Amino acid sequence: MRNELMAVAVGALVAFTGVARAQGAPAPVAAQKKPEAGKATATQGKTEATWWGHAAFVLRTPGGAVIAIDPWLTNPKAPQDIPQPEALDAILVTHGHFDHVGETKALAQKTGAKVYGSFELVSLLGLPEAQGVGANPGGTFKVKDATIHLVEAVHSSSYQSDPKQPAQYAGAPMGYVIEIEKGPTLYHAGDTGAFESMALIATQFKPTVAMLPIGGHFTMGPAEAAQAARLLKVQSVVPMHYGTFPLLQGTPEELRGAVKKLRGSSKVVELVPGKSTAL
């Protein structure tokens, strides 16, 4: 009798399941395995850039390199709702002005990251010998899956560790080309005007994304940045170094207009401070 009752119950369950499926109810879902540690996540495999306002960026590469560039992370445009990075592999400083050196020394002390910059500037920062990597345009360094090339810039450079003391010469200003394995090749121009040798950077490194200053006064403005984008032959331009101070009046919209006027093909990618963006 017991076996007969069980057979009836199983038959009823099978019949109910068949009706439910016929009416569009979802079939029972098998338990899914939890993702294994180390497997791909939504952002893994991408190169991400977080703009901290002004000329400051933090890059994360597919191979796990975390690189800060010109880390003035307390500038007026810096995001207030995210913490400063706790781990860094490298800090790249384009020149000695306060709005680019920023919190370099404190971040190096906190994270143990190596600091790359002009020989003179790195010497002035007073870093431990193992952390300061002084170099000049033409130098190339490897940081995990990122190959970093130092290139020229047209600007000035001085460093003032003590506001009460005169500023000191901090070597030549520089830009950085960052070649990322399985990712884009980025060019951070630092503070600069447009110059003809940007065409050589295009030929030698073939950057796909250029981070260009557009504010004007101390650097190139939108019209010159559009010329730079044409020389560099990049797919995308990320505008930076604008709006931080009243003197920096160039805007991304003006850059778009200037690129269009030159019949350029570079896309202007306007980043939001604090938001990570895949490049």
Side-chain angles (χ1 to χ4, degrees):
M1 183 67 177
R2 181 180 177 183
N3 290 340
E4 292 176 358
L5 290 173
M6 289 182 65
V8 171
V10 171
L13 179 59
V14 171
F16 173 78
T17 303
V19 171
R21 289 182 182 176
Q23 293 176 347
V29 179
Q32 297 183 358
K33 294 181 181 179
K34 293 181 179 180
E36 297 179 26
K39 292 294 183 181
T41 62
T43 58
Q44 198 165 1
K46 299 285 188 180
T47 298
E48 289 189 338
T50 303
W51 186 38
W52 279 78
H54 206 58
F57 293 85
V58 174
L59 305 178
R60 289 175 173 81
T61 72
V66 185
I67 301 169
I69 309 174
D70 283 354
W72 186 29
L73 305 185
T74 55
N75 71 78
K77 296 292 184 180
Q80 303 298 314
D81 55 346
I82 62 172
Q84 293 188 10
E86 294 293 330
L88 289 171
D89 295 295
I91 301 171
L92 314 182
V93 187
T94 61
H95 62 290
H97 294 158
F98 79 94
D99 55 327
H100 294 262
V101 173
E103 286 74 54
T104 291
K105 191 169 182 178
L107 287 169
Q109 291 172 337
K110 181 173 72 170
T111 66
K114 289 188 176 182
V115 176
Y116 297 81
S118 74
F119 179 83
E120 292 83 357
L121 174 59
V122 170
S123 299
L124 291 172
L125 290 175
L127 299 165
E129 186 176 349
Q131 281 185 271
V133 185
N136 265 302
T140 295
F141 302 92
K142 184 83 172 178
V143 178
K144 292 184 177 177
D145 62 335
T147 301
I148 300 168
H149 306 280
L150 283 62
V151 296
E152 68 178 301
V154 178
H155 195 58
S156 61
S157 180
S158 59
Y159 177 69
Q160 192 173 21
S161 58
D162 184 348
K164 297 180 181 179
Q165 298 296 324
Q168 296 175 276
Y169 173 68
M174 293 187 294
Y176 291 91
V177 175
I178 307 168
E179 293 183 286
I180 300 169
E181 297 172 16
K182 300 179 181 178
T185 296
L186 311 177
Y187 168 52
H188 187 294
D191 276 7
T192 189
F195 53 93
E196 285 286 349
S197 293
M198 286 179 170
L200 179 59
I201 292 173
T203 300
Q204 187 172 1
F205 301 114
K206 297 178 174 58
T208 54
V209 180
M211 299 165 173
L212 300 180
I214 66 165
H217 194 89
F218 298 107
T219 70
M220 55 189 168
E224 294 82 7
Q227 292 281 5
R230 185 168 68 170
L231 289 167
L232 292 161
K233 300 178 182 178
V234 288
Q235 299 171 13
S236 303
V237 176
V238 175
M240 65 175 185
H241 206 279
Y242 67 93
T244 322
F245 310 115
L247 284 174
L248 308 183
Q249 296 184 5
T251 67
E253 193 57 38
E254 289 175 325
L255 176 59
R256 289 189 184 94
V259 170
K260 184 177 180 180
K261 185 176 180 179
L262 291 177
R263 298 182 180 179
S265 59
S266 300
K267 179 181 178 182
V268 177
V269 180
E270 187 176 351
L271 300 189
V272 177
K275 181 180 179 182
S276 295
T277 303
L279 298 176

